[in-house]
Amino acid sequence: MTKKDIIKYRNCWMGFSILWVMFTHSHFGMPNAFLTFIKDIGFISVDGFLFASGLGCYYSLKKNDDILLFLKRRFEKLAPAYYLVIIPFILYKWLILHVPFQYVWGNLTFMQSLTTYGTGFSWYVSAIWVYYLLAPYFKKLIDRLTWKQNFAVIALMVVFSVAFWKTNTLIIIIARIPVVYLGMMFGKLDDSYRFSGKQIAFIEFLIVPGLILIVLFKAFFPHLLWTHGLYWYPSLLIVPAYCFNISFVLHALRNIRLGEILTKILNVLGANTFELFLVHIFIDDVLMEVYKDYPNQRLVWIIGTLAIVPGVLLLKKGVSLVNQIRSNHHVAAES
């Protein structure tokens, strides 16, 4: 397959990943060790998002390398949905749980996870802005360096991330910068580039040491998984094959009805991942806080899960309304 064939399913990578994220966050116990392991390694799906995001950032900057315009477009895309969710979220936290003002301000400015006041809504919200700020400089570096030099940069990023061990949320963000960089490196390839059988085999083989490292780290260093980034370093080896394999499967099924249905579903999910993420985190956080003493926690989670779809539809309506108001204001200002 060519690179163009593979990235055709980029939205599907994200759609599949958001399903895995929600599965990982679920409060169900798994019936066997295999499903428990799949649930435990759901962080790979987040790295799938970041790999896809790096690819998207490269393409966006390739079309227009204006940094301010790049950041402006991303803010305009993410901010309406974010603020429609975060404002009621922080009001609840402030009025009911009496969190400090710094917590409120940190969440409003996307920076809460970079502070010492707790993770706030989600580390991911702060992380994406760190990655967006770095992306223009990463692209310049990637374009200037050879492939070997770029892989050396990734190795240095991993080494330098050691300085952030034991920093809780910060290590989650810093340890994943190499995945974003790797996604941008993939963006550098010509769309017509055709992967050889040996290249695909090598990418697939990297899953093996990646999974072995995860198993070893979980077995021998469980107390270091979160504080020292041991949960995320191995996924750097896994994530290219993870994304590629989604493309390979859907491409193989493209001419049958099942493949068409799967692709459509994953594309719809992939086009709404940020809204799904926001609503999912909001419901999970608030519901589990309000009903933390309710005896049937599984029922609480089921109700919360069923509320995600109407919540996303409501959020999208709100975003459409906000964008319409902004559009009307822009037209009025120009007239």
Side-chain angles (χ1 to χ4, degrees):
M1 290 177 66
T2 64
K3 177 193 170 187
K4 185 177 181 180
D5 293 327
I6 293 172
I7 65 173
K8 174 184 176 182
Y9 299 98
R10 177 177 171 270
N11 258 12
C12 295
W13 303 351
M14 301 173 72
F16 185 86
S17 293
I18 194 64
L19 289 177
W20 197 356
V21 166
M22 292 192 288
F23 172 66
T24 297
H25 288 168
S26 71
H27 298 268
F28 283 143
M30 294 296 105
N32 56 61
F34 175 74
L35 287 177
T36 299
F37 181 71
I38 296 299
K39 189 171 185 284
D40 288 346
I41 63 171
F43 53 85
I44 294 173
S45 63
V46 179
D47 291 314
F49 277 117
L50 299 180
F51 184 82
S53 179
L55 172 64
C57 286
Y58 187 92
Y59 273 108
S60 179
L61 289 163
K62 185 178 180 179
K63 291 178 181 178
N64 190 325
D65 61 359
D66 186 314
I67 297 176
L68 291 180
L69 181 61
F70 171 77
L71 295 175
K72 178 176 179 288
R73 286 176 174 171
R74 266 139 190 82
F75 181 81
E76 290 176 344
K77 180 180 179 181
L78 301 180
Y82 179 70
Y83 283 119
L84 285 173
V85 170
I86 201 63
I87 288 174
F89 179 82
I90 59 177
L91 283 175
Y92 161 74
K93 292 284 187 177
W94 193 21
L95 298 175
I96 305 300
L97 302 182
H98 308 293
V99 296
F101 175 74
Q102 291 94 330
Y103 178 99
V104 174
W105 184 244
N107 277 288
L108 286 174
T109 57
F110 299 92
M111 292 293 105
Q112 182 59 24
S113 293
L114 303 179
T115 72
T116 59
Y117 287 96
T119 58
F121 185 79
S122 172
W123 67 268
Y124 183 79
V125 173
S126 297
I128 54 177
W129 286 105
V130 172
Y131 304 149
Y132 287 158
L133 287 168
L134 292 173
Y137 304 100
F138 282 171
K139 182 183 181 297
K140 291 181 183 297
L141 190 62
I142 289 167
D143 287 342
R144 184 174 179 179
L145 300 180
T146 66
W147 283 93
K148 287 184 179 180
Q149 290 171 333
N150 275 313
F151 282 117
V153 169
I154 288 179
L156 286 174
M157 287 177 174
V158 172
V159 172
F160 290 156
S161 71
V162 171
F164 291 87
W165 283 0
K166 295 185 179 181
T167 57
N168 296 321
T169 305
L170 279 179
I171 185 59
I172 303 175
I173 296 172
I174 301 301
R176 280 169 153 143
I177 289 177
V179 174
V180 178
Y181 193 89
L182 185 63
M184 294 189 70
M185 284 175 59
F186 181 53
K188 180 182 178 180
L189 286 173
D190 291 335
D191 285 355
S192 60
Y193 183 84
R194 183 175 295 276
F195 288 88
S196 68
K198 289 183 178 179
Q199 289 173 323
I200 295 297
F202 179 71
I203 291 171
E204 296 290 351
F205 170 76
L206 290 177
I207 295 177
V208 177
L211 290 177
I212 289 175
L213 284 173
I214 291 173
V215 171
L216 290 176
F217 289 159
K218 284 174 65 66
F220 295 103
F221 307 104
H223 57 296
L224 304 180
L225 294 173
W226 285 89
T227 59
H228 290 65
L230 300 190
Y231 249 146
W232 310 297
Y233 294 134
S235 66
L236 184 61
L237 301 174
I238 299 170
V239 74
Y242 164 74
C243 293
F244 281 28
N245 285 337
I246 294 173
S247 295
F248 294 159
V249 170
L250 294 177
H251 185 76
L253 299 176
R254 67 190 184 283
N255 293 324
I256 64 175
R257 185 60 177 164
L258 174 62
E260 292 178 2
I261 294 172
L262 282 175
T263 301
K264 286 180 180 179
I265 292 174
L266 292 177
N267 268 322
V268 170
L269 293 173
N272 296 281
T273 50
F274 193 58
E275 291 84 357
L276 283 163
F277 166 75
L278 292 173
V279 173
H280 160 65
I281 295 296
F282 178 90
I283 290 175
D284 188 69
D285 190 294
V286 174
L287 210 62
M288 290 304 154
E289 178 65 37
V290 173
Y291 293 99
K292 62 184 177 182
D293 296 323
Y294 190 75
N296 192 339
Q297 288 293 297
R298 178 174 292 188
L299 177 61
V300 172
W301 183 83
I302 290 174
I303 293 173
T305 301
L306 293 175
I308 291 175
V309 172
V312 168
L313 293 174
L314 182 63
L315 177 58
K316 288 185 71 64
K317 287 286 186 182
V319 170
S320 295
L321 180 60
V322 169
N323 288 335
Q324 183 62 49
I325 293 172
R326 287 178 54 246
S327 178
N328 291 340
H329 176 74
H330 182 71
V331 170
E334 289 185 341
S335 60

